[in-house]
Amino acid sequence: MKKMRFFYLLMFFLLIFGLSCSPSKNSGNVQSSSVQGSVIGLEGSVLINGNPVLVGAKVPDGSILQTDENGYCEITFLGSNIIRIFDDTIMRISFSEAMVNVERGTAAAVLRNIKTLLKKEDDLFHIESGNVIAGVRGTSFFIKKEDNRTTYFCLCNGTLDISDPRGRIRIPLEATHHSAIRLRDQDGGISMSRAGMEYHTDKDMEELAGRIGQKMDWYRQE
């Protein structure tokens, strides 16, 4: 009888020990709610959530960034992602929602490591501005909200899907070397036209990628 009690007691402790040592399913993943960005470059007046910041400042989840008419700001997150917001721009970034919203102005990005922000295999990182929603898993792009009704979007390299907030359009884009469109709200609908490489150059994107130790390969899709 004592041997049986000892056996059951031993098995109980082995079970508890095994559970305590087994790895959590999420132990290797970065929790998106804990991700923060870092300001690595700026000029002029830059505000995060209404407060002036300097180089090295942290960018918490859900932050609203704003530059003045002579400013710009570069933020990095998860090592291999960088977003540059240009002058006179307001942008919100949410790591937990895997989303960037350019409320006003202009932004460019090189995104090479956003997988840990996506909760499911088929999830996408979203870039939003006015009438444009772009879903990506990693790419380089340039976006400018030209006015309240018009948005210019250039897929510099990679693949993505463009849609509008009401789901009226869906445009798959892919590019090795810039594919740009212009979307405009018009008469209750959305009009789309092809556009050239405007507002930015190869050198601009190459320099942005270089800020995070990456290179632009204009001969293959990311």
Side-chain angles (χ1 to χ4, degrees), residues 146-161:
E146 295 178 319
D147 56 47
N148 288 335
R149 300 177 65 185
T150 311
T151 302
Y152 168 89
F153 187 94
C154 180
L155 171 61
C156 302
N157 185 286
T159 60
L160 52 77
D161 285 335

Side-chain angles (χ1 to χ4, degrees), residues 35 49 59-65 91-97:
V35 174
N49 298 324
V59 183
D61 182 37
S63 289
I64 296 175
L65 296 92
M91 186 192 82
R92 177 177 177 264
I93 183 167
S94 172
F95 304 109
S96 58
E97 298 175 63

Side-chain angles (χ1 to χ4, degrees), residues 11-184:
M11 292 300 292
F12 174 78
F13 281 114
L14 287 174
L15 178 61
I16 295 300
F17 180 78
L19 289 174
S20 65
C21 293
S22 61
S24 169
K25 289 183 180 180
N26 295 322
S27 60
N29 296 328
V30 176
Q31 295 298 314
S32 58
S33 59
S34 66
V35 174
Q36 293 190 95
S38 296
V39 176
I40 65 165
L42 60 78
E43 188 174 294
S45 173
V46 177
L47 305 178
I48 296 180
N49 298 324
N51 300 310
V53 296
L54 300 174
V55 171
K58 296 301 181 185
V59 183
D61 182 37
S63 289
I64 296 175
L65 296 92
Q66 183 172 358
T67 58
D68 67 9
E69 294 181 354
N70 300 304
Y72 77 87
C73 178
E74 293 172 342
I75 67 169
T76 61
F77 58 97
L78 294 176
S80 299
N81 305 295
I82 185 167
I83 299 176
R84 179 172 186 173
I85 62 173
F86 293 79
D87 55 293
D88 195 24
T89 294
I90 299 175
M91 186 192 82
R92 177 177 177 264
I93 183 167
S94 172
F95 304 109
S96 58
E97 298 175 63
M99 179 270 293
V100 163
N101 187 303
V102 181
E103 298 179 16
R104 182 181 79 202
T106 310
V110 176
L111 305 177
R112 297 281 172 81
N113 178 30
I114 56 175
K115 187 176 180 180
T116 51
L117 297 180
L118 307 179
K119 296 179 175 63
K120 296 184 296 185
E121 188 69 26
D122 57 348
D123 279 352
L124 298 172
F125 188 92
H126 288 100
I127 301 100
E128 303 177 6
S129 181
N131 52 21
V132 171
I133 299 175
V136 306
R137 288 190 176 87
T139 192
S140 304
F141 68 86
F142 182 98
I143 189 168
K144 181 177 180 66
K145 190 172 182 181
E146 295 178 319
D147 56 47
N148 288 335
R149 300 177 65 185
T150 311
T151 302
Y152 168 89
F153 187 94
C154 180
L155 171 61
C156 302
N157 185 286
T159 60
L160 52 77
D161 285 335
I162 292 281
S163 61
D164 71 296
R166 298 183 185 179
R168 293 169 293 185
I169 61 170
R170 180 182 175 276
I171 307 164
L173 288 181
E174 56 182 49
T176 54
H177 185 251
H178 305 285
S179 179
I181 60 173
R182 181 171 279 108
L183 294 174
R184 182 174 176 82

